[in-house]
Amino acid sequence: MNSAHSPASPKTPGVVIVTGGSRGIGHAISALLAREGHAVAINYATNAAPAEALARAITEQGGRAMAIRADLSKPGEIRTLFTRAHELGPLWGLVNNAGVTGTKVRVDEQSAETLDALFNINIRATMLAAGEAVRRMSTRHGGKGGVIVNLSSVAARLGGLPGLVPYAATKAAVETFTRGLANEVAREGIRVNAVAPGLTATDMVPPETAKLAETVVPMGRVGHVDEIAQAVAFLLSPASSYMTGSVMTVSGGR
Ligand code: NAP
């Protein structure tokens, strides 16, 4: 391969913030990135124990990690997350993984409050965190470039399971944001891509929904968190150096 990698494709791993790294997909992403040599800032909202345990395990195995509490529905706490993560070194990557499904009811039963709570995490926090990352990584601001990966969902295109229409709409917003931000910072050393998982076995998917996979997923099963993490790690790596503004679907064919 030509050695003229863009600044967004460093050959050595760097510091990556993973939002919502205490459980599910974010936990698997944090563990995999640490195994690949990244220093990982593992964010969580309330579940300190699994985030702290993962950071400890990474450190004991010779890696670098710290668990950082920050409720991303609060803009001040998003800023604190980035300030604290700097203790690991200059930022090189952000995985906007934290997400919620919101209140699972029909649209005619949603309220301004339930929608605000959903939008604040899935959309506003994703954009504010990306802004913090761009301010630190963009060559326009004196940074060395970097990579942002946002977590979307196949729901963005399918419209969502019953009661999860607003959730699906937030993920469509994440995909549009991914494409637009990628354009905005493409010449500033930053690549921005998204991963759109299908049904994946985490706390977000109750057993009755997981069972659906047997019928609605062509491969007939839910995804494993490590299968999603692999796609995120690829988009963070130099192997994807010419990819920006893309959405990678990882859904067993759904
Ligand atoms: P999960 O198991 O429910 O975990 C959610 C994570 O987000 C937790 O670490 C949680 O922290 C964190 N979080 C929630 N609210 C937060 C807040 N206000 N501030 C900071 N962190 C917060 O979810 P998941 O299934 O792994 O989903 C991860 C991402 O993949 C989400 O964006 C989701 O929409 C997307 N996705 C999931 C699926 C699926 O089938 N599972 C499919 C498509 C897309 P605490 O532990 O502290 O609560």
Side-chain angles (χ1 to χ4, degrees), residues 77-155:
E77 298 198 15
I78 295 176
R79 286 194 292 276
T80 305
L81 167 63
F82 279 77
T83 308
R84 292 233 20 234
H86 192 72
E87 291 169 29
L88 289 168
L91 188 68
W92 177 75
L94 166 68
V95 182
N96 264 320
N97 165 81
V100 292
T101 52
T103 305
K104 194 175 175 187
V105 294
R106 287 168 46 99
V107 171
D108 51 7
E109 293 163 16
Q110 297 280 351
S111 67
E113 289 73 24
T114 57
L115 292 173
D116 277 350
L118 172 67
F119 297 167
N120 283 348
I121 302 295
N122 290 16
I123 303 178
R124 191 177 73 174
T126 294
M127 293 185 185
L128 288 174
E132 292 288 337
V134 168
R135 277 195 281 282
R136 287 163 176 79
M137 302 191 305
S138 167
T139 54
R140 182 191 175 107
H141 298 298
K144 290 190 159 59
V147 188
I148 297 173
V149 180
N150 298 321
L151 267 290
S152 176
S153 165
V154 293

Side-chain angles (χ1 to χ4, degrees), residues 7 20 35-36 38 48 51 60 62 64 68 77-78 100 105 130 135 137 158 164 166 172 183 188-189 209 225 237:
R35 286 199 295 280
E36 295 194 341
H38 294 281
E60 282 166 7
R64 292 197 308 133
I68 305 175
E77 298 198 15
I78 295 176
V100 292
V105 294
R135 277 195 281 282
M137 302 191 305
L158 297 173
L164 296 176
N183 295 341
E188 299 171 24
T209 308
V225 288
S237 80

Side-chain angles (χ1 to χ4, degrees), residues 20-26 43-47 70-73 97-100 121 151-153 167 171 197-200 202-205:
S22 47
R23 292 183 284 125
I25 293 169
N43 159 249
Y44 64 94
T46 52
N47 279 299
D71 177 352
L72 304 181
S73 67
N97 165 81
V100 292
I121 302 295
L151 267 290
S152 176
S153 165
Y167 167 78
K171 293 303 184 176
L199 286 169
T200 308
T202 70
D203 295 344
M204 193 178 268
V205 176

